Amino acid sequence: MRRTHMIGLAAMLAGSLAAAAASAQTQPGQPPATPPAQPPQFATTKVPGTENVYIFRYQGHQSMFVVTSAGVIATDPIAYLRPQAATTYIDEIRKVTRAPIKYLIYSHHHYDHIAGGKPFKDAGAIVVAHRRAKEHLAKLKNPAVVVPDVGTADRHVINLGGTRLELHYVGRNHSDNSLVMYLPKEKLIFTVDFIPIETVHFRNMLDGWVGEWEDSLRKVLAMNWERMIPGHPYAGGRLGTKADVQNLLQYMLDLSAAVKVAADQGKCWDTAVKEVALPKYEKWGAYSQYFAGNVERYCSYWGRGY
Ligand SMILES: [Zn+2]
């Protein structure tokens, strides 16, 4: 995503955290005594109920890391246009363990999540991504992005220090190389960008695959997990559930059906973008900013076949 867009989304998501902090401080019916607290620039949180799974948040981006006796599995460096995010990430890992960082796994190939891997690579980490992410990054040659050492097949398993981490490719959605990172013992998944929580999709779902995206959500729902760590702090920064995935799937089906009606009446793109509304989802994050873009994307699909 482009810089201005990325910063806009990150600011909005940081705002979601600030709103949650403010509401936590305010009594019902009482105005806040102090202005809403801004969340700190970064935070590291151990996932409750786990022994060794952590979330590192830097502004509006999040990454998961897993600490084992044999080393650390880190994921997305989240350091696009801010290399200090990656060094802060490593400093935060070092507060938990001195064990070596063995792996750095990319969720997908978009720069805002995976730029800044060099200090991890320099520390000895093997950089892993889906094979198509590796192909894209090898062509793009962005100087801020480390090209993966390993491009995986659609299923890949990492066993380290008693922890099993499975990488599942569930089809094309927000990109053609998004991985679900699955910890079966902990019944946790880490997903990035393709399952926003109570939030509409980003802009016009650029790089997205309508029609296949919905199927990928069904595949995620069929997996045996209970909690989801998202790549951005949506909905006040909470973890996701299967109900959230089901609700997102329903949103996409409702949107698709509404836009198809408009497309069949020859209203795509501009008239449909003005007329289609889904009041059921008006309270979701980014609705006022990006719902029109979501309509535009489905208009391309139903109105033109792409
Ligand atoms: Zn992305």
Side-chain angles (χ1 to χ4, degrees):
M1 52 182 81
R2 286 166 53 190
R3 177 181 180 176
T4 48
H5 303 158
M6 188 270 289
I7 289 169
L9 178 69
M12 183 196 81
L13 294 164
S16 156
L17 279 180
S23 68
Q25 291 171 355
T26 307
Q27 298 299 313
Q30 297 271 318
T34 52
Q38 286 302 312
Q41 190 167 52
F42 64 88
T44 302
T45 318
K46 191 177 195 176
V47 177
T50 71
E51 292 168 11
N52 59 348
V53 184
Y54 295 82
I55 299 168
F56 171 67
R57 178 187 62 76
Y58 198 98
Q59 295 173 329
H61 290 75
Q62 297 191 143
S63 176
M64 176 182 80
F65 67 94
V66 185
V67 175
T68 81
S69 56
V72 178
I73 304 169
T75 67
D76 295 353
I78 56 174
Y80 181 53
L81 303 174
R82 50 179 194 202
Q84 70 277 15
T87 50
T88 303
Y89 189 171
I90 292 173
D91 290 345
E92 290 290 284
I93 291 172
R94 288 286 162 253
K95 287 179 188 171
V96 178
T97 180
R98 300 303 302 173
I101 301 172
K102 293 280 194 182
Y103 295 99
L104 178 69
I105 304 173
Y106 293 166
S107 59
H108 65 308
H109 79 285
H110 295 165
Y111 299 158
D112 62 311
H113 291 273
I114 57 105
K118 187 166 186 302
F120 291 86
K121 173 113 178 167
D122 290 347
I126 298 168
V127 183
V128 178
H130 186 264
R131 62 184 159 78
R132 261 196 301 281
K134 183 176 179 178
E135 288 166 12
H136 292 314
L137 294 170
K139 280 185 197 154
L140 286 161
K141 292 187 173 59
N142 185 295
V145 175
V146 175
V147 176
D149 301 303
V150 177
T152 73
D154 292 350
R155 286 287 295 274
H156 189 84
V157 178
I158 290 174
N159 282 299
L160 185 70
T163 288
R164 177 183 176 90
L165 174 66
E166 298 181 6
L167 309 181
H168 290 235
Y169 173 71
V170 291
R172 297 189 290 196
N173 42 53
H174 163 85
S175 75
D176 66 1
N177 57 81
S178 298
L179 290 173
V180 177
M181 301 193 205
Y182 175 46
L183 291 163
K185 182 164 76 76
E186 293 79 4
K187 290 196 162 72
L188 267 175
I189 58 172
F190 173 47
T191 70
V192 176
D193 285 352
F194 80 99
I195 313 181
I197 299 169
E198 293 178 329
T199 301
V200 305
H201 289 300
F202 184 65
R203 298 191 69 91
N204 63 351
M205 303 164 70
L206 51 177
D207 204 16
W209 300 83
V210 166
E212 297 174 48
W213 195 324
E214 296 87 335
D215 289 337
S216 82
L217 297 180
R218 293 185 183 95
K219 287 180 186 163
V220 172
L221 283 167
M223 294 171 65
N224 183 18
W225 59 274
E226 291 170 353
R227 295 182 295 170
M228 176 180 74
I229 301 169
H232 296 280
Y234 308 103
R238 66 176 175 85
L239 299 179
T241 64
K242 284 203 170 174
D244 291 315
V245 181
Q246 187 64 53
N247 290 342
L248 180 69
L249 175 58
Q250 193 59 51
Y251 164 70
M252 296 178 79
L253 296 175
D254 290 348
L255 175 62
S256 183
V259 174
K260 185 174 189 309
V261 170
D264 290 347
Q265 295 169 347
K267 290 181 172 177
C268 282
W269 286 274
D270 294 344
T271 304
V273 166
K274 285 196 192 83
E275 290 184 358
V276 173
L278 292 177
K280 181 181 168 188
Y281 302 98
E282 273 173 2
K283 296 264 191 308
W284 277 22
Y287 184 95
S288 60
Q289 286 167 285
Y290 298 145
F291 180 72
N294 290 195
V295 172
E296 183 183 79
R297 179 66 192 88
Y298 275 92
C299 258
S300 301
Y301 184 71
W302 288 119
R304 302 295 170 94
Y306 53 80

